[in-house]
Amino acid sequence: MAPLPKKKRPQSKKRSRWSHSALRPVSLSTCPQCHNLKLPHHVCGTCGYYAGREILAVGPAEDTEEQS
């Protein structure tokens, strides 16, 4: 037999446990190279630069599917 609580937990107690889990808006910063929006501390998906260095070689979109 499992132990049961002696009294009902009030709604304010229950809701205060969930107070930290509210959704927050995504913070975006601008890339110093191409001035597009990007996530902070991430490589820019448009130009491929991070902290003034090119990390990813981003070129024109190429079709990798072979047509038969």
Side-chain angles (χ1 to χ4, degrees):
M1 204 169 187
L4 295 173
K6 293 202 183 280
K7 295 194 176 189
K8 184 178 177 181
R9 183 182 302 248
Q11 282 188 351
S12 62
K13 271 287 199 202
K14 181 170 49 172
R15 290 177 181 159
S16 68
R17 283 185 294 131
W18 288 94
S19 63
H20 65 278
S21 60
L23 295 176
R24 293 176 184 87
V26 176
S27 62
L28 297 173
S29 61
T30 56
C31 175
Q33 299 289 327
C34 63
H35 305 290
N36 284 329
L37 293 176
K38 68 175 193 70
L39 290 171
H41 305 287
H42 282 73
V43 176
C44 179
T46 308
C47 64
Y49 275 77
Y50 179 74
R53 298 182 312 217
E54 185 176 9
I55 305 297
L56 296 174
V58 179
E62 299 175 1
D63 290 334
T64 56
E65 296 179 12
E66 295 180 18
Q67 296 178 0
S68 49

